Amino acid sequence: CPSASPRHERRQALATLAASESPPMRRVLSSAPAAEMIGAAVAEKAAVRALSARAVSTAAAVATEEGGGISMKTKVPGPVGLRLMEQHGPQGASGGAISLFCDYRASDGCYLVDADGNRMLDMFSQIASLPLGYNHPSLLAAQADPLLATYSTSRCAIGLMPPMELPELLDETFLKIAPAGLSRVQTMLCGSSANENVFKAAMFAYRAKQRAKAGRGPTDFTRDELESCMVNQSPGCANDLSILSFRGGFHGRTMAALTCTHSKPVHKLDAPAFDWPTADFPALQYPLEHHAAENAAEEARCVDGARAIFEARLAEGRPVVGLIIEPILSEGGDLHASPSFFASLQRLCGEFDAAFIVDEVQTGVMASGHMWAHQAWGLPEAPDFVVFSKKALLGGYYFKEAFQPPQGYRIFNTWMGDMTKLLLFRAVLEAAEREGLQARAVSTGAALMRTLEAARERRPRCWGLHCRLARQQPDA
């Protein structure tokens, strides 16, 4: 690629910052939040030049250490990639957003190889879903487990006829890393399906409480309920209940999850949505230490706005029965808030008998230095639900006993997860423990903050542009 090409200049700058740091730092810089942050910083030519200068003395060492480093042979996409796009177009084009075809057999670590043999530093990690990069030895070794072959060739309906190894595998994976106070877990297929079923579970629990007040059991349905639900009407369908979400949030693309998504119009255009409320998320000013009063006022405004929604909906006889929030609104623009803001939302949920749902699809599994980013908030008790996917390799959620489904087939689909992914996730956790990856996330996050704080001293006006990265450590 010509050195004057804006695409090449941007890619080189992104690679340079990673190349100039230690291996742990390179892992942090290959994460999706870091990629978004650095991508904004290098939009300015001054940042590009500063980062590029640091690569001159380190590129050779990095290339040796990482098995070849960056190697560009063609434009991206190149001739092979363009031919594959032309071939795939009439097949449906996988939705139409493909940017390049990849050679995953040739990819390794944090380097992605495309169909034309270009080897690139991957700052995207398959939409932040690769916990160990490409072709990690631990995951390759897990392929030798005979159970993996069994689960692959005879995929089971976990919700109906699970394999005998399921309880043990859950103990060794998701329950091993469960947030304090949450001892139940439900696997699903992806983050969207997990959120959809969380919303259902929250509504089932709320309806059960309403029936209890009327002296009925949780599944003592009236004839009117049984008949009206079949034509999508109340009282059988809970059309009067809703989930509160926040501007800038992203929770998936299926119908209810999409209703709670407010990050980009392209996700929502021409799709129907439920009549569910949306609250403001704080727009903090940076550096945080220079705007403490303004940010506290902004967070208080947003909490008051959420309270007003709870009160108005309750007065209208259509209560909010759940609130869903991300620790970092990643897809919506890297938006952050203080631990006290999230604690205030949890208190609101308690006051209005609504489920407090934390969506950790983006932030879960050590990305923040904690196993779960909400652990940095210091909440007095666990959320009612914690949703996971991406780096967990399959979707699902933790939940409190109060939200156990009242009968079978209420939370259900054919697969209810994927046993092969449980085996692979066990290998991920073993590798993370063996290699100390969670501690590395903490130390490299601190190193990254020191680098950005030093950059702020040199270029104060750039701080708000490329350092809206709030440290997710307990003392942050």
Side-chain angles (χ1 to χ4, degrees):
C1 299
S3 60
S5 163
R7 176 182 289 173
H8 176 76
E9 190 175 53
R10 178 182 175 87
R11 183 171 59 244
Q12 183 183 41
L14 289 170
T16 299
L17 182 56
S20 62
E21 300 294 348
S22 63
M25 177 63 83
R26 286 196 292 276
R27 286 187 173 85
V28 167
L29 295 175
S30 66
S31 68
E36 294 171 2
M37 175 189 62
I38 299 167
V42 301
E44 294 194 296
K45 288 188 176 181
V48 171
R49 288 195 298 268
L51 294 173
S52 297
R54 296 176 62 186
V56 175
S57 61
T58 59
V62 170
T64 299
E65 180 181 348
E66 296 292 340
I70 297 170
S71 175
M72 303 305 297
K73 300 177 180 179
T74 71
K75 293 181 178 180
V76 179
V80 176
L82 291 172
R83 177 176 57 77
L84 290 170
M85 287 184 179
E86 183 178 357
Q87 178 184 356
H88 189 42
Q91 297 172 338
S94 296
I98 292 176
S99 56
L100 73 163
F101 280 83
C102 303
D103 182 352
Y104 290 108
R105 288 175 295 183
S107 302
D108 67 278
C110 57
Y111 288 95
L112 176 66
V113 178
D114 74 359
D116 287 274
N118 296 302
R119 181 178 168 86
M120 298 166 278
L121 180 64
D122 184 8
M123 307 292 286
F124 193 56
S125 298
Q126 303 297 314
I127 320 180
S129 67
L130 292 181
L132 301 177
Y134 297 100
N135 292 310
H136 191 280
S138 294
L139 294 183
L140 293 176
Q143 304 296 321
D145 189 333
L147 271 180
L148 193 64
T150 297
Y151 295 157
S152 297
T153 56
S154 304
R155 186 172 183 181
C156 59
I158 298 174
L160 193 62
M161 295 175 284
M164 59 189 292
E165 299 86 6
L166 177 62
E168 182 179 3
L169 279 172
L170 288 177
D171 281 338
E172 294 173 347
T173 55
F174 290 105
L175 295 177
K176 179 180 180 180
I177 60 170
L182 295 176
S183 60
R184 298 181 181 228
V185 66
Q186 178 61 64
T187 58
M188 282 288 164
L189 298 174
C190 64
S192 294
S193 65
N195 278 327
E196 292 280 345
N197 284 281
V198 162
F199 299 159
K200 288 168 60 179
M203 293 182 180
F204 294 164
Y206 195 88
R207 277 288 194 251
K209 292 176 183 177
Q210 290 180 323
R211 292 190 181 96
K213 291 179 181 179
R216 295 156 52 197
T219 59
D220 290 340
F221 307 116
T222 66
R223 178 176 294 278
D224 192 16
E225 288 173 331
L226 293 170
E227 293 178 352
S228 61
C229 75
M230 299 307 292
V231 289
N232 302 330
Q233 299 299 311
S234 297
C237 289
N239 297 338
D240 56 323
L241 306 185
S242 62
I243 303 294
L244 175 62
S245 53
F246 289 82
R247 299 185 191 280
F250 184 92
H251 302 288
R253 299 171 186 263
T254 49
M255 296 304 295
L258 187 60
T259 294
C260 295
T261 289
H262 314 284
S263 54
K264 296 181 178 68
V266 69
H267 305 321
K268 299 174 69 73
L269 287 167
D270 299 331
F274 296 114
D275 180 20
W276 291 358
T278 307
D280 286 345
F281 189 84
L284 301 187
Q285 300 180 51
Y286 293 82
L288 295 174
E289 62 270 24
H290 295 173
H291 301 279
E294 297 96 323
N295 289 340
E298 171 66 0
E299 292 188 341
R301 180 188 71 82
C302 293
V303 172
D304 290 344
R307 172 181 290 280
I309 290 172
F310 272 108
E311 292 173 343
R313 287 270 173 155
L314 186 61
E316 295 166 1
R318 46 186 194 144
V320 172
V321 301
L323 178 154
I324 187 166
I325 192 75
E326 299 166 273
I328 302 172
L329 277 59
S330 307
E331 209 271 348
D334 192 21
L335 307 176
H336 302 254
S338 70
S340 63
F341 172 76
F342 295 104
S344 296
L345 296 182
Q346 186 181 43
R347 286 194 295 272
L348 266 183
C349 288
E351 183 178 341
F352 288 91
D353 199 20
F356 184 50
I357 307 163
V358 178
D359 184 343
E360 292 246 27
V361 168
Q362 288 274 10
T363 55
V365 191
M366 297 176 283
S368 67
H370 295 276
M371 183 60 70
W372 307 103
H374 78 269
Q375 292 169 328
W377 301 342
L379 297 175
E381 64 174 295
D384 296 306
F385 296 91
V386 174
V387 184
F388 56 80
S389 191
K390 290 191 181 286
K391 286 174 283 295
L393 301 187
L394 78 168
Y397 56 90
Y398 298 99
F399 62 100
K400 289 181 177 177
E401 183 179 358
F403 296 94
Q404 181 72 35
Q407 63 187 145
Y409 294 103
R410 303 293 297 281
I411 300 294
F412 192 81
N413 57 54
T414 298
W415 304 127
M416 297 287 277
D418 186 336
M419 293 302 301
T420 65
K421 296 301 188 289
L422 275 176
L423 287 175
L424 293 175
F425 190 56
R426 182 176 64 182
V428 167
L429 294 179
E430 290 171 350
E433 184 174 359
R434 183 170 58 250
E435 299 176 21
L437 297 186
Q438 187 169 345
R440 289 190 187 186
V442 174
S443 61
T444 50
L448 178 59
M449 285 301 299
R450 289 194 297 270
T451 299
L452 293 169
E453 287 165 350
R456 177 181 66 175
E457 296 302 317
R458 296 193 299 271
R459 296 181 179 275
R461 73 182 186 86
C462 295
W463 183 251
L465 171 67
H466 68 270
C467 192
R468 291 195 292 172
L469 179 67
R471 286 170 291 185
Q472 291 293 301
Q473 303 310 311
D475 60 346

